[in-house]
Amino acid sequence: MGVQSAVADLPAMKTDPKYIFFTDFDGTITLQDSNDYMTDNIGYGREKRRQGNLDTLSGKINFRDSFRDMMESVTRPYSECIQILCDNIKLDPYFAEFFQWSLENNVPVVVLSSGMEPIIKALLKKLIGPDAEKMQVIGNYVKARPGKTINEEGGWEIVFHHPESGFGHDKSVTLRKYSSLPEDVRPTMFYAGDGVSDLSAARETDLLFAKKGHDLISYCAKENVPFTVFEDWSSILEKVKEITAGKTTVQEAAHQGYEAYKAGDAGIKPT
């Protein structure tokens, strides 16, 4: 496959960007994780859900099976689930500013999510408005169970983007399509995430932003994955502006992130 055909298959490359920002959705763009919210409030509850997260981090269960178990506990009609989330999930207060800056500076934003595309698109449309359509969303899907419709009790189930993968949606597959581009066209790649759904993406970008106090930092520190810490999208915007302006490098930013972790400033106790 030639360079032109490879680039043609990557929507975020259409404007020949020098930088692309890939991001998780739940708990990263939003203040709450929509899937956790459903599980905690209309599924089997927070305690069992949190244990599943911990078991995934420790390797006792893979993310796909833990997440399927979570979603199996949510039986409300799909349209009702979307409405509940639209009524309760809030956007990070600084994400809209970051997204507007990205549109003005040719930094495409690509959402890579282990959640379900219909929910993500509905929330983005509500929280950001028409410009949300300029953001590519890649996630899992949903389908009706045999003999039912998705909008009846117990009528839907999750369909994984990569059902053969223990991640369900292996975010590294998309990221590697960009990272493997020839050096003269390959953009600098950022990624922001917070938890166990981001483990497949952690090693695949030039600079990983890991949310303060969340599981992704624990994983990165344990596995020696470079990262920098963010609390909200104002700190991401500040750092990305510095890098795109040539005031700092992704390597320096990652070094600063690890130093913050060792100093106890990442919200996770250093080990």
PDB file of all heavy atoms in Angstrom, residues 34 38 44-45 68 98 101 140 156 158 193 234 261 263 265:
ATOM      1  N   SER A  34     -19.802   7.276  31.536  1.00  0.00           N
ATOM      2  CA  SER A  34     -21.212   6.966  31.281  1.00  0.00           C
ATOM      3  C   SER A  34     -21.524   5.489  31.552  1.00  0.00           C
ATOM      4  O   SER A  34     -22.604   5.151  32.058  1.00  0.00           O
ATOM      5  CB  SER A  34     -21.603   7.342  29.852  1.00  0.00           C
ATOM      6  OG  SER A  34     -20.902   6.577  28.895  1.00  0.00           O
ATOM      7  N   MET A  38     -24.136   4.089  34.388  1.00  0.00           N
ATOM      8  CA  MET A  38     -25.239   3.154  34.167  1.00  0.00           C
ATOM      9  C   MET A  38     -25.115   1.951  35.092  1.00  0.00           C
ATOM     10  O   MET A  38     -26.095   1.526  35.719  1.00  0.00           O
ATOM     11  CB  MET A  38     -25.265   2.685  32.714  1.00  0.00           C
ATOM     12  CG  MET A  38     -25.781   3.704  31.735  1.00  0.00           C
ATOM     13  SD  MET A  38     -26.185   2.968  30.126  1.00  0.00           S
ATOM     14  CE  MET A  38     -24.540   2.502  29.532  1.00  0.00           C
ATOM     15  N   TYR A  44     -25.599  -3.485  38.245  1.00  0.00           N
ATOM     16  CA  TYR A  44     -25.366  -4.247  39.477  1.00  0.00           C
ATOM     17  C   TYR A  44     -24.638  -3.481  40.576  1.00  0.00           C
ATOM     18  O   TYR A  44     -24.348  -4.024  41.634  1.00  0.00           O
ATOM     19  CB  TYR A  44     -24.688  -5.582  39.208  1.00  0.00           C
ATOM     20  CG  TYR A  44     -23.377  -5.595  38.462  1.00  0.00           C
ATOM     21  CD1 TYR A  44     -22.366  -4.658  38.683  1.00  0.00           C
ATOM     22  CD2 TYR A  44     -23.130  -6.609  37.537  1.00  0.00           C
ATOM     23  CE1 TYR A  44     -21.163  -4.721  38.021  1.00  0.00           C
ATOM     24  CE2 TYR A  44     -21.923  -6.685  36.854  1.00  0.00           C
ATOM     25  CZ  TYR A  44     -20.938  -5.739  37.097  1.00  0.00           C
ATOM     26  OH  TYR A  44     -19.749  -5.816  36.436  1.00  0.00           O
ATOM     27  N   GLY A  45     -24.330  -2.212  40.353  1.00  0.00           N
ATOM     28  CA  GLY A  45     -23.844  -1.388  41.448  1.00  0.00           C
ATOM     29  C   GLY A  45     -22.347  -1.125  41.428  1.00  0.00           C
ATOM     30  O   GLY A  45     -21.574  -1.819  40.766  1.00  0.00           O
ATOM     31  N   ARG A  68     -18.333  -6.486  29.342  1.00  0.00           N
ATOM     32  CA  ARG A  68     -19.564  -7.163  28.920  1.00  0.00           C
ATOM     33  C   ARG A  68     -20.422  -7.493  30.137  1.00  0.00           C
ATOM     34  O   ARG A  68     -21.653  -7.317  30.114  1.00  0.00           O
ATOM     35  CB  ARG A  68     -19.238  -8.432  28.138  1.00  0.00           C
ATOM     36  CG  ARG A  68     -20.512  -9.161  27.658  1.00  0.00           C
ATOM     37  CD  ARG A  68     -20.228 -10.537  27.113  1.00  0.00           C
ATOM     38  NE  ARG A  68     -19.594 -10.478  25.825  1.00  0.00           N
ATOM     39  CZ  ARG A  68     -18.400 -10.975  25.540  1.00  0.00           C
ATOM     40  NH1 ARG A  68     -17.687 -11.544  26.509  1.00  0.00           N
ATOM     41  NH2 ARG A  68     -17.913 -10.913  24.329  1.00  0.00           N
ATOM     42  N   PHE A  98     -10.704  23.601  24.438  1.00  0.00           N
ATOM     43  CA  PHE A  98      -9.658  22.847  23.748  1.00  0.00           C
ATOM     44  C   PHE A  98     -10.111  22.476  22.340  1.00  0.00           C
ATOM     45  O   PHE A  98      -9.351  22.614  21.368  1.00  0.00           O
ATOM     46  CB  PHE A  98      -9.305  21.570  24.516  1.00  0.00           C
ATOM     47  CG  PHE A  98      -8.379  20.662  23.746  1.00  0.00           C
ATOM     48  CD1 PHE A  98      -6.998  20.838  23.833  1.00  0.00           C
ATOM     49  CD2 PHE A  98      -8.878  19.674  22.913  1.00  0.00           C
ATOM     50  CE1 PHE A  98      -6.142  20.033  23.101  1.00  0.00           C
ATOM     51  CE2 PHE A  98      -8.028  18.867  22.178  1.00  0.00           C
ATOM     52  CZ  PHE A  98      -6.659  19.048  22.273  1.00  0.00           C
ATOM     53  N   TRP A 101     -10.025  25.348  19.953  1.00  0.00           N
ATOM     54  CA  TRP A 101      -8.635  25.626  19.583  1.00  0.00           C
ATOM     55  C   TRP A 101      -8.138  24.619  18.553  1.00  0.00           C
ATOM     56  O   TRP A 101      -7.457  24.974  17.592  1.00  0.00           O
ATOM     57  CB  TRP A 101      -7.745  25.584  20.834  1.00  0.00           C
ATOM     58  CG  TRP A 101      -6.283  25.770  20.525  1.00  0.00           C
ATOM     59  CD1 TRP A 101      -5.594  26.946  20.428  1.00  0.00           C
ATOM     60  CD2 TRP A 101      -5.326  24.736  20.254  1.00  0.00           C
ATOM     61  NE1 TRP A 101      -4.280  26.714  20.112  1.00  0.00           N
ATOM     62  CE2 TRP A 101      -4.081  25.361  20.000  1.00  0.00           C
ATOM     63  CE3 TRP A 101      -5.405  23.334  20.205  1.00  0.00           C
ATOM     64  CZ2 TRP A 101      -2.928  24.643  19.695  1.00  0.00           C
ATOM     65  CZ3 TRP A 101      -4.254  22.607  19.905  1.00  0.00           C
ATOM     66  CH2 TRP A 101      -3.036  23.265  19.657  1.00  0.00           C
ATOM     67  N   ASN A 140     -17.353   0.874  20.264  1.00  0.00           N
ATOM     68  CA  ASN A 140     -18.095  -0.363  20.107  1.00  0.00           C
ATOM     69  C   ASN A 140     -19.504  -0.052  19.614  1.00  0.00           C
ATOM     70  O   ASN A 140     -19.897   1.111  19.487  1.00  0.00           O
ATOM     71  CB  ASN A 140     -18.124  -1.132  21.436  1.00  0.00           C
ATOM     72  CG  ASN A 140     -16.739  -1.608  21.847  1.00  0.00           C
ATOM     73  OD1 ASN A 140     -16.014  -2.189  21.047  1.00  0.00           O
ATOM     74  ND2 ASN A 140     -16.370  -1.360  23.088  1.00  0.00           N
ATOM     75  N   TRP A 156     -31.162  -5.058  24.356  1.00  0.00           N
ATOM     76  CA  TRP A 156     -29.929  -4.741  23.623  1.00  0.00           C
ATOM     77  C   TRP A 156     -28.706  -5.401  24.241  1.00  0.00           C
ATOM     78  O   TRP A 156     -28.715  -5.805  25.388  1.00  0.00           O
ATOM     79  CB  TRP A 156     -29.717  -3.221  23.556  1.00  0.00           C
ATOM     80  CG  TRP A 156     -29.537  -2.553  24.897  1.00  0.00           C
ATOM     81  CD1 TRP A 156     -30.524  -2.077  25.722  1.00  0.00           C
ATOM     82  CD2 TRP A 156     -28.296  -2.293  25.583  1.00  0.00           C
ATOM     83  NE1 TRP A 156     -29.985  -1.531  26.861  1.00  0.00           N
ATOM     84  CE2 TRP A 156     -28.612  -1.647  26.809  1.00  0.00           C
ATOM     85  CE3 TRP A 156     -26.952  -2.526  25.277  1.00  0.00           C
ATOM     86  CZ2 TRP A 156     -27.632  -1.247  27.719  1.00  0.00           C
ATOM     87  CZ3 TRP A 156     -25.976  -2.137  26.180  1.00  0.00           C
ATOM     88  CH2 TRP A 156     -26.320  -1.490  27.391  1.00  0.00           C
ATOM     89  N   ILE A 158     -24.082  -5.278  23.798  1.00  0.00           N
ATOM     90  CA  ILE A 158     -22.926  -4.625  23.206  1.00  0.00           C
ATOM     91  C   ILE A 158     -22.320  -5.520  22.127  1.00  0.00           C
ATOM     92  O   ILE A 158     -22.352  -6.746  22.229  1.00  0.00           O
ATOM     93  CB  ILE A 158     -21.873  -4.278  24.279  1.00  0.00           C
ATOM     94  CG1 ILE A 158     -20.779  -3.373  23.700  1.00  0.00           C
ATOM     95  CG2 ILE A 158     -21.288  -5.525  24.909  1.00  0.00           C
ATOM     96  CD1 ILE A 158     -19.865  -2.773  24.755  1.00  0.00           C
ATOM     97  N   GLY A 193      -6.275   9.788  28.511  1.00  0.00           N
ATOM     98  CA  GLY A 193      -7.121   8.743  29.058  1.00  0.00           C
ATOM     99  C   GLY A 193      -7.081   8.731  30.571  1.00  0.00           C
ATOM    100  O   GLY A 193      -6.364   9.514  31.204  1.00  0.00           O
ATOM    101  N   SER A 234      -7.813  22.135  30.663  1.00  0.00           N
ATOM    102  CA  SER A 234      -7.056  23.387  30.627  1.00  0.00           C
ATOM    103  C   SER A 234      -5.565  23.075  30.667  1.00  0.00           C
ATOM    104  O   SER A 234      -4.758  23.710  29.968  1.00  0.00           O
ATOM    105  CB  SER A 234      -7.444  24.309  31.785  1.00  0.00           C
ATOM    106  OG  SER A 234      -7.081  23.753  33.039  1.00  0.00           O
ATOM    107  N   TYR A 261       4.746  12.233  39.342  1.00  0.00           N
ATOM    108  CA  TYR A 261       4.291  10.996  39.994  1.00  0.00           C
ATOM    109  C   TYR A 261       5.211  10.644  41.170  1.00  0.00           C
ATOM    110  O   TYR A 261       4.742  10.352  42.278  1.00  0.00           O
ATOM    111  CB  TYR A 261       4.263   9.857  38.978  1.00  0.00           C
ATOM    112  CG  TYR A 261       4.175   8.488  39.609  1.00  0.00           C
ATOM    113  CD1 TYR A 261       2.991   8.027  40.172  1.00  0.00           C
ATOM    114  CD2 TYR A 261       5.295   7.652  39.661  1.00  0.00           C
ATOM    115  CE1 TYR A 261       2.912   6.774  40.758  1.00  0.00           C
ATOM    116  CE2 TYR A 261       5.223   6.398  40.243  1.00  0.00           C
ATOM    117  CZ  TYR A 261       4.032   5.970  40.794  1.00  0.00           C
ATOM    118  OH  TYR A 261       3.957   4.732  41.381  1.00  0.00           O
ATOM    119  N   ALA A 263       6.992  12.553  42.886  1.00  0.00           N
ATOM    120  CA  ALA A 263       6.866  13.549  43.948  1.00  0.00           C
ATOM    121  C   ALA A 263       5.524  13.461  44.675  1.00  0.00           C
ATOM    122  O   ALA A 263       5.267  14.216  45.622  1.00  0.00           O
ATOM    123  CB  ALA A 263       7.056  14.951  43.370  1.00  0.00           C
ATOM    124  N   ASP A 265       2.562  14.001  43.198  1.00  0.00           N
ATOM    125  CA  ASP A 265       1.652  15.026  42.686  1.00  0.00           C
ATOM    126  C   ASP A 265       0.715  14.513  41.601  1.00  0.00           C
ATOM    127  O   ASP A 265       0.091  15.292  40.893  1.00  0.00           O
ATOM    128  CB  ASP A 265       2.470  16.204  42.120  1.00  0.00           C
ATOM    129  CG  ASP A 265       3.268  16.912  43.190  1.00  0.00           C
ATOM    130  OD1 ASP A 265       2.835  16.916  44.357  1.00  0.00           O
ATOM    131  OD2 ASP A 265       4.348  17.467  42.862  1.00  0.00           O
TER     132      ASP A 265
END
